[in-house]
Amino acid sequence: MPYSPDMAALAKRRSSAELSRLTLMALFARLDTVAMTVAMGVVFGLGLFAMTAILLLKGAPPGYPVGPNLVALSTFMPGYSGTWVGSLVGIGYGFLIGSVVGFVVAVLWNFTHLLFIGFAVSRGSWLD
Amino acid sequence: MKLSNQMGSGTAPKLSEEQQELLNRGIRFNTVLMGAVMGLGAGLGIFLLTHLSLLVTGERAGQYLNLLGIILPGYSASAAGAWFGLLWGFVFGGLSGGFIYYMYARTIGPQLVTAIALGSDDRQPVAFPTLRISGHALGTALGCLMALQLYAVTLWLILRGTAHQSPHAALLVNYFPGYSVTYLGGLLGAAYIFAFTYVFSLILAGVYNGLVSKRSQAGG
């Protein structure tokens, strides 16, 4: 479905009643579950990679491991380590964890809104 | 037609007093809703992670998780402690969620009304349009929350007199040069974490809005 290019201009053109409807629609707009899942996955993946990469670039004294506290995550993420290869594995795990978080946030947000709207409509009230 | 990914570039619509009141009520409602969602997520997250950690690592689970007990009284890496985690997670998660939405809505202002994607026939009664995210507003809200939380935790470590026994907190210097568990170090850390969070929020919004746009075009 194509989208309007400029919502601000659209809002300015609208009558008062339409603007009220637009306000309500904006307040109860749904999160795109797929987009939120992917976006959070990307951010978590990049985040874990950046955290590992910064430690790798700083290095550790000879004989000491890089980032032993961060690398403790390997208990839950087999294959992850304080190496460049491990940091790439971390992108995958970060993406996976972020995706789950994003999916849950989007589903809960949409579900609770739907629940409220259903409740409000059944009671005949709206934001009272 | 294409959905613009740039938020905040247009002019904000002029709302009447009544519409502004409607917007304010909606913001208050969504603030509570976001608080409930985040509180539930954080509480259950801590509860389940504690049990998962106990299951996977056994007694070693407390090595890192017990540190949470410094800011969540009663919490420990144990079955009983997990219930305190659930409670505190709900409280802190709820407050954080409410703060994020309120701050987001106040930063974006009346442009919140235009932060949605409608169909090409804009007069069509679309019940549930898709939300678009303002990277700037999200970055400001999340950045402020993270900065406040980091400073509050630093302050708490100083006030309880364990600043010098906080090696894990001090490790943040790896990411935030100049950070230390001191009043000034906390401020520096807060500034750094705000900047990092802002950048990651821009990435999040960019990917999200881009996908919303692509999916809408594919669907049309």
Side-chain angles (χ1 to χ4, degrees), chain B residues 13-130:
Chain B
K14 243 193 156 49
L15 302 180
S16 68
E17 210 170 291
E18 201 177 304
Q19 286 157 350
Q20 188 61 52
E21 176 58 20
L22 179 68
L23 186 65
N24 289 341
R25 281 186 182 209
I27 288 171
R28 278 199 296 274
F29 170 75
N30 276 342
T31 299
V32 173
L33 188 73
M34 183 64 118
V37 167
M38 289 269 294
L40 204 66
L44 284 176
I46 295 177
F47 185 82
L48 294 175
L49 272 177
T50 305
H51 281 287
L52 180 70
S53 198
L54 285 168
L55 198 71
V56 175
T57 63
E59 285 179 4
R60 282 192 303 123
Q63 189 183 353
Y64 292 103
L65 282 180
N66 279 345
L67 293 171
L68 277 177
I70 296 170
I71 44 173
L72 311 178
Y75 175 80
S76 63
S78 64
W83 287 103
F84 281 97
L86 180 73
L87 175 74
W88 284 116
F90 187 77
V91 172
F92 284 124
L95 288 173
S96 301
F99 179 90
I100 291 170
Y101 187 84
Y102 189 80
M103 190 86 182
Y104 175 86
R106 289 301 164 208
T107 305
I108 196 171
Q111 284 187 357
L112 185 75
V113 176
T114 63
I116 53 172
L118 288 178
S120 57
D121 178 7
D122 55 50
R123 288 176 183 279
Q124 200 181 337
V126 183
F128 303 108
T130 306

Side-chain angles (χ1 to χ4, degrees), chain A residues 1-5 7-8 10 14 16 18 20 25 27 29-30 32 51 55 58 69 75 112-113 116-117 127, chain B residues 11 19 25 29-30 57 64 114 116-120 122-123 126 128-129 131 171 175 208 215-216 219-220:
Chain A
M1 182 172 67
Y3 281 77
S4 302
M7 292 300 300
L10 185 66
R14 283 171 178 254
S16 182
E18 285 176 319
S20 296
M25 283 164 64
L27 288 167
R30 66 181 179 85
D32 186 316
M51 285 170 77
L55 293 181
K58 288 176 85 95
N69 292 290
T75 309
T112 44
H113 267 146
F116 172 76
I117 290 167
L127 288 176
Chain B
T11 323
Q19 286 157 350
R25 281 186 182 209
F29 170 75
N30 276 342
T57 63
Y64 292 103
T114 63
I116 53 172
L118 288 178
S120 57
D122 55 50
R123 288 176 183 279
V126 183
F128 303 108
L131 190 73
L171 284 174
Y175 302 108
Y208 174 86
R215 277 164 53 75
S216 69

Side-chain angles (χ1 to χ4, degrees), chain A residues 4-128:
Chain A
S4 302
D6 189 347
M7 292 300 300
L10 185 66
K12 281 183 84 172
R13 287 206 310 270
R14 283 171 178 254
S15 69
S16 182
E18 285 176 319
L19 192 55
S20 296
R21 190 173 68 93
L22 196 63
T23 305
L24 269 177
M25 283 164 64
L27 288 167
F28 289 94
R30 66 181 179 85
L31 278 169
D32 186 316
T33 311
V34 174
M36 185 49 100
T37 301
V38 175
M40 288 284 267
V42 168
V43 166
F44 272 58
L46 278 177
L48 188 52
F49 174 77
M51 285 170 77
T52 317
I54 287 171
L55 293 181
L56 283 167
L57 291 173
K58 288 176 85 95
Y64 286 89
V66 171
N69 292 290
L70 187 64
V71 173
L73 284 175
S74 63
T75 309
F76 302 99
M77 304 175 182
Y80 173 71
S81 62
T83 61
W84 286 108
V85 176
S87 70
L88 292 177
V89 174
I91 292 180
Y93 279 116
F95 185 85
L96 192 72
I97 294 168
S99 297
V100 172
V101 173
F103 179 79
V104 170
V105 166
V107 166
L108 277 178
W109 180 256
N110 294 340
F111 177 70
T112 44
H113 267 146
L114 270 176
L115 212 62
F116 172 76
I117 290 167
F119 182 69
V121 167
S122 71
R123 285 192 56 184
S125 60
W126 193 254
L127 288 176
D128 283 332

Side-chain angles (χ1 to χ4, degrees), chain B residues 132-186:
Chain B
R132 294 165 63 205
I133 296 174
S134 159
H136 166 67
L138 183 67
T140 306
L142 264 178
C144 283
L145 177 75
M146 297 295 279
L148 277 173
Q149 285 183 342
L150 180 64
Y151 196 69
V153 169
T154 306
L155 213 59
W156 177 236
L157 291 174
I158 296 169
L159 292 177
R160 70 197 291 268
T162 54
H164 297 293
Q165 300 158 25
S166 307
H168 291 99
L171 284 174
L172 283 176
V173 75
N174 284 313
Y175 302 108
F176 312 142
Y179 175 79
S180 58
V181 191
T182 60
Y183 293 109
L184 186 63

